Amino acid sequence: MTETPPPLDPNTPGPWIRQSFGPYVLRRKLAEGGMAEIFLARRSDGQDGAREVVIKRIRQALVGQPDFLEMLRQEGRLATQLVHPHLVRVYEQGSVEGRAYLCMEWLAGEDFSTLVRLASLRREFMPVPLVLRVLADAARGLHYAHDFVDASGQALNIVHRDVSPSNLYVTFEGQVKVLDFGVAQAGGAATRPGEMKGKVIYMAPEQALGGAVDRRADVFSLGVCLYEALTHVRPFARERDAAVLDALREGDFPPPRALRPELSPELEAVVLKAMAPAPARRHASAAEFADALERLLSREYPPATSAHLAAYLRASVGEERYREKTFVPPFDPSGKGGGSKVVRSPMLTEPPRRRSRPGAWLPWAAGALALGLVGGGGVLLLSRTASVPAPPVPETPSLAQVASRAPESESLPDAGTQPPVPESAGKESPRTRQAGRGSSRQASGSGRGKVPATLEVADIQRVVTRNRASYLSCFERHKEDLRADEGEVRMRFTIQASGRAETSTQGALAERPLGKCLEQKLNRLRFPAHRGDAVTVVLPLGYRVTR
Ligand SMILES: Nc1ncnc2c1ncn2[C@@H]1O[C@H](COP(=O)(O)OP(=O)(O)OP(=O)(O)O)[C@@H](O)[C@H]1O
C-alpha cells in the first residue's frame, strides 16, 4: 500500500522563481500541458486584489504557430464569458511579446485523472459516490456552457470537445471545475479533416470521425470518464488509431458490470446511455446526465458532498503534497525581499493529527473490486473477489513518470499472476524467445536508430495489457467454454519485424469459440516494430471466476 505517492510529473510544482511577464510576476511553474505552461503568478502592480492567479501561456516552442495561438485566443474568447462554480474562472486574455496567455483563478488541488491514478496505485477504487459527485458537478458546469447565451442574446451552442479526466479538476475544498476550453467551439461545427484535436479515446464517435457535434458529444466524454473511474479500464484504448475509431463507432467495450459486478444495474445503465454510439440514444443534455447521477446518489449511496470530496482528496494525496500545493511564500512587489521564507497561504487549515487512509471514512469503499482484468501474462478475474486489488489504470502520457516508477506489470494484482511461458524447446524458426518476468527491456536503449534491435517480452505484455478492453468481451461472450473457475488460456504470438502478429490458442480451447474470438481480437494488435527475426512467445491469460 503506497501511503505517500511518488511525485506526479509534469504536474509537480517547480521551484519558486521571480520572472516578469507583462504586468505579472510568475512565481512558480505549476504544470505543463500539451499546449501551454501553467504558472502561479501575481500582478506586479497589485491590481489583482493581492491574490494569486494562474497564467496559462503558450509554450515557447509553439510561438509563431498560428493554430495554437488561435486555440488559446479561442479559449480566451469563450472562457472569459463563462462564469459558473463548476468552470474554471478565466479573468482575461492577452499577449506579451508575441506569447499569448490567459489569466485565471488559481485552483489548488488535483485533476481527476491524478485522483483515479492515485487510487489505482493503492490498488483501490475511488469511492463510487465521490466519482458520481465529480461527474455530476462537472456535467452541471458543462451544461451551463452548452446553454450559454451571450450579451447580445445569441445562443453560442458551445461544445467543450476535450472533456477528459485531466480536464476535470478537484480542489482541496472539494470543488469540481472543468478546465481547458482550448478546443471548444461555438456553433457545433464539424472538425475539418486533418484538424483533429482533443484526446480521441474520450471522444464521441461523431467527433472522432469528423462529423458535426453538439452537446451530446460532451455527454459521451463524461460517460467515458465515469466508466474509467469506476473500472480502471480505458474502454477505447487500442494500440492503433484505426482500432480506436472502430471501437468508438461500434461501441465495442465491456459493460462496467462485467468488470465490477457489484456496481448496480442502474448505475451501469446511466454509463451505457451516456456512451451510446448514436447521439440520439444518449442523455439529451449534460444536465440530464447530472440528474441521473444525482438520483442514484440520493437512492443508493450515503451523502457525497464537497466536504467529503475535500477530505478524500487530502487524505489521498498525503500531507506533504497537500502542503506543497497550498503553501505560498509572501509576495514582495518591489522584488527586494521575500520569496525565500515559506508561510502558509490563507486557505491552509491545520492538518489532521492522524492521517487516515483515503476511503477509510467510507467503509463501503473498502474491497470494492469485482472483476479485474489483466492481460499479458496476468490474471483475469471474472467476478467479485474482495481481497483482490483494483487493476491499475493504464499509463497516461501526462503521468509518464508515475508509470515508469510503477509500471503496469509491477502493479498488477498478485493473486495468480503468471510469468509468460517459454514455448517448448526445439522450435528455432521463427526465433523462440525465453519469456520471463525478469527479462530486461532493451527495446529503446540500443541507440542504433529508431527501430529497436529486439522486441522484449515486457513490450509484448504491455501491448496485450493495454488492449485488454478489446478482448475481455470474448470471455464474457463465451463463458461456457471455461471448464474450471480458475485457469489460463495460453495464447501463442508470432510477431514479425513489422509489428504484425499471428496469434493462436494453445490447447483444448483452440477449437472453441472463446479461442477463436481471442485469436481474432489479438490478431488486430500491433506491436513495436523491431529489427531481425520474428519473435514467438506464449502468454497465459489467467482467469478466475467466483460465483
Ligand atoms: N487554474 C488552474 N489552477 C491550477 N492548476 C491548473 C489550472 N489550470 C490548469 N492547471 C494545471 O495545468 C494542467 C494543464 O492545464 P490545461 O489542460 O489547461 O493545459 P493544456 O496545455 O491545454 O493541456 P492539454 O492540452 O494537455 O490538455 C492541468 O491538468 C492542471 O493540473
Side-chain angles (χ1 to χ4, degrees):
M1 190 68 57
T2 316
E3 269 282 302
T4 310
L8 299 165
D9 264 6
N11 290 338
T12 294
W16 292 99
I17 54 171
R18 189 183 174 92
Q19 195 186 103
S20 288
F21 181 68
Y24 297 96
V25 176
L26 306 182
R27 307 191 67 203
R28 194 174 210 192
K29 191 188 262 191
L30 295 177
E32 195 157 333
M35 175 174 84
E37 300 168 318
I38 316 289
F39 288 94
L40 189 65
R42 282 286 281 267
R43 259 190 99 101
S44 41
D45 56 14
Q47 274 187 20
D48 54 5
R51 69 183 161 185
E52 287 2 278
V53 290
V54 158
I55 295 293
K56 175 176 178 175
R57 78 170 176 193
I58 200 152
R59 289 169 51 181
Q60 182 67 49
L62 303 176
V63 171
Q65 293 195 28
D67 270 14
F68 288 97
L69 189 65
E70 187 43 42
M71 274 167 76
L72 204 68
R73 287 216 178 112
Q74 171 76 352
E75 178 171 2
R77 261 194 303 274
L78 292 178
T80 45
Q81 302 181 69
L82 302 173
V83 182
H84 187 274
H86 296 305
L87 300 181
V88 66
R89 177 89 165 87
V90 178
Y91 302 123
E92 64 144 347
Q93 62 172 327
S95 168
V96 174
E97 290 165 11
R99 273 184 100 163
Y101 73 86
L102 300 179
C103 173
M104 57 181 129
E105 71 176 310
W106 173 41
L107 306 172
E110 298 286 356
D111 64 56
F112 188 46
S113 79
T114 300
L115 260 183
V116 173
R117 176 163 277 276
L118 286 173
S120 104
L121 286 173
R122 290 190 306 270
R123 317 277 175 92
E124 295 170 347
F125 287 111
M126 197 174 152
V128 173
L130 296 187
V131 170
L132 302 190
R133 167 60 45 226
V134 172
L135 270 303
D137 287 356
R140 298 276 177 218
L142 284 166
H143 184 70
Y144 165 84
H146 296 156
D147 260 2
F148 186 73
V149 175
D150 73 9
S152 67
Q154 194 191 342
L156 295 189
N157 298 318
I158 293 172
V159 184
H160 184 289
R161 304 198 313 157
D162 193 16
V163 175
S164 73
S166 62
N167 283 336
L168 308 181
Y169 206 88
V170 182
T171 71
F172 286 118
E173 281 153 5
Q175 299 160 321
V176 177
K177 307 259 183 181
V178 179
L179 300 179
D180 197 359
F181 278 71
V183 299
Q185 271 186 358
T191 303
R192 287 197 294 276
E195 202 200 34
M196 185 69 70
K197 286 167 190 147
K199 297 165 202 86
V200 183
I201 61 168
Y202 297 101
M203 267 182 203
E206 67 274 17
Q207 185 186 347
L209 295 164
V213 297
D214 60 24
R215 59 182 68 204
R216 294 169 297 180
D218 288 345
V219 170
F220 183 93
S221 305
L222 285 168
V224 180
C225 297
L226 176 58
Y227 181 106
E228 179 175 319
L230 293 174
T231 64
H232 289 187
V233 168
R234 294 214 166 103
F236 300 113
R238 306 286 189 274
E239 207 51 30
R240 289 173 308 130
D241 287 351
V244 173
L245 295 182
D246 286 348
L248 284 167
R249 196 179 7 231
E250 291 157 23
D252 181 17
F253 59 89
R257 295 180 75 241
L259 300 160
R260 277 181 82 182
E262 88 276 15
L263 296 175
S264 71
E266 291 77 15
L267 175 53
E268 180 175 79
V270 174
V271 180
L272 294 179
K273 185 167 181 185
M275 292 172 68
R281 302 188 81 106
R282 291 178 210 147
H283 305 89
S285 68
E288 212 180 84
F289 175 70
D291 289 344
L293 296 181
E294 296 284 4
R295 264 196 305 279
L296 286 170
L297 272 167
S298 63
R299 279 189 208 148
E300 293 187 21
Y301 299 99
T305 63
S306 53
H308 291 118
L309 198 51
Y312 178 82
L313 172 61
R314 188 157 166 182
S316 184
V317 300
E319 271 323 295
E320 203 183 317
R321 189 166 168 86
Y322 171 73
R323 283 165 180 271
E324 172 76 8
K325 288 207 126 185
T326 53
F327 274 83
V328 184
F331 180 63
D332 174 8
S334 72
K336 289 183 188 130
S340 58
K341 190 169 160 248
V342 175
V343 298
R344 282 179 191 176
S345 79
M347 65 173 288
L348 183 67
T349 51
E350 274 302 311
R353 270 195 227 123
R354 213 159 44 94
R355 187 137 108 215
S356 60
R357 268 187 49 229
W361 60 275
L362 294 168
W364 36 260
L369 174 72
L371 177 146
L373 170 63
V374 182
V379 62
L380 179 84
L381 302 165
L382 284 177
S383 70
R384 186 189 168 98
T385 311
S387 60
V388 177
V393 175
E395 162 187 340
T396 64
S398 63
L399 289 174
Q401 190 170 346
V402 176
S404 69
R405 280 161 195 259
E408 257 181 323
S409 54
E410 281 172 26
S411 49
L412 297 180
D414 295 325
T417 302
Q418 314 256 353
V421 185
E423 217 189 6
S424 52
K427 286 189 182 176
E428 294 302 329
S429 184
R431 180 160 57 95
T432 302
R433 178 167 302 286
Q434 173 74 26
R437 224 182 189 340
S439 66
S440 65
R441 291 193 58 212
Q442 303 168 2
S444 55
S446 68
R448 283 182 285 134
K450 278 193 175 161
V451 178
T454 59
L455 182 66
E456 292 301 316
V457 170
D459 298 316
I460 302 170
Q461 277 182 305
R462 199 169 44 252
V463 173
V464 176
T465 301
R466 201 181 285 158
N467 287 281
R468 56 189 183 245
S470 68
Y471 55 87
L472 172 68
S473 53
C474 296
F475 284 89
E476 286 303 312
R477 245 181 271 149
H478 305 293
K479 271 188 196 137
E480 68 286 354
D481 284 350
L482 298 171
R483 292 282 159 78
D485 280 356
E486 195 168 343
E488 63 186 33
V489 183
R490 292 157 73 95
M491 304 302 299
R492 180 177 186 268
F493 293 81
T494 298
I495 300 161
Q496 306 297 333
S498 66
R500 283 182 177 276
E502 267 171 43
T503 313
S504 56
T505 313
Q506 309 269 278
L509 284 172
E511 297 308 317
R512 303 291 310 159
L514 173 59
K516 298 278 170 234
C517 177
L518 286 170
E519 284 170 14
Q520 200 190 17
K521 297 276 182 187
L522 293 169
N523 271 341
R524 292 191 196 151
L525 301 188
R526 288 293 169 270
F527 296 85
H530 55 281
R531 286 183 264 161
D533 300 336
V535 172
T536 298
V537 294
V538 176
L539 296 183
L541 305 181
Y543 66 85
R544 182 183 304 151
V545 183
T546 310
R547 294 176 210 282

